Amino acid sequence: MLREYRGEYYLFVVNCRAAAQRARFRLRGLPALARVEALYQSQAPALRDGLLVIDLAALGAGIYRLETAGI
């Protein structure tokens, strides 16, 4: 789920499987991303050429703040 709050974007990701998963996101319609910050002990993401890659533990979750290049 992607939400905007007070001018910043937040991504909430949940792994509903009992095995680790790798999630890949190409977030279209947003300004270019400068970096992604993992919040609340979430696994650190990778940002490469506009592709966001997140490794999630079994039944894990992550919350991320997306920093746009214009901020």
Side-chain angles (χ1 to χ4, degrees):
M1 174 175 63
L2 179 68
R3 292 286 186 238
E4 182 181 1
Y5 178 71
R6 295 186 180 182
E8 295 185 334
Y9 295 97
Y10 295 86
L11 180 66
F12 301 83
V13 184
V14 177
N15 179 8
C16 297
R17 296 182 185 223
Q21 299 289 312
R22 175 168 281 174
R24 294 175 181 88
F25 300 95
R26 188 160 310 275
L27 302 170
R28 301 187 196 287
L30 291 180
L33 297 179
R35 71 183 201 107
V36 179
E37 178 185 6
L39 303 176
Y40 305 106
Q41 299 179 348
S42 299
Q43 180 71 25
L47 180 62
R48 292 184 213 103
D49 298 321
L51 182 67
L52 180 61
V53 179
I54 301 170
D55 290 320
L56 293 165
L59 304 174
I63 302 173
Y64 302 91
R65 186 175 71 84
L66 310 178
E67 184 177 309
T68 58
I71 294 178

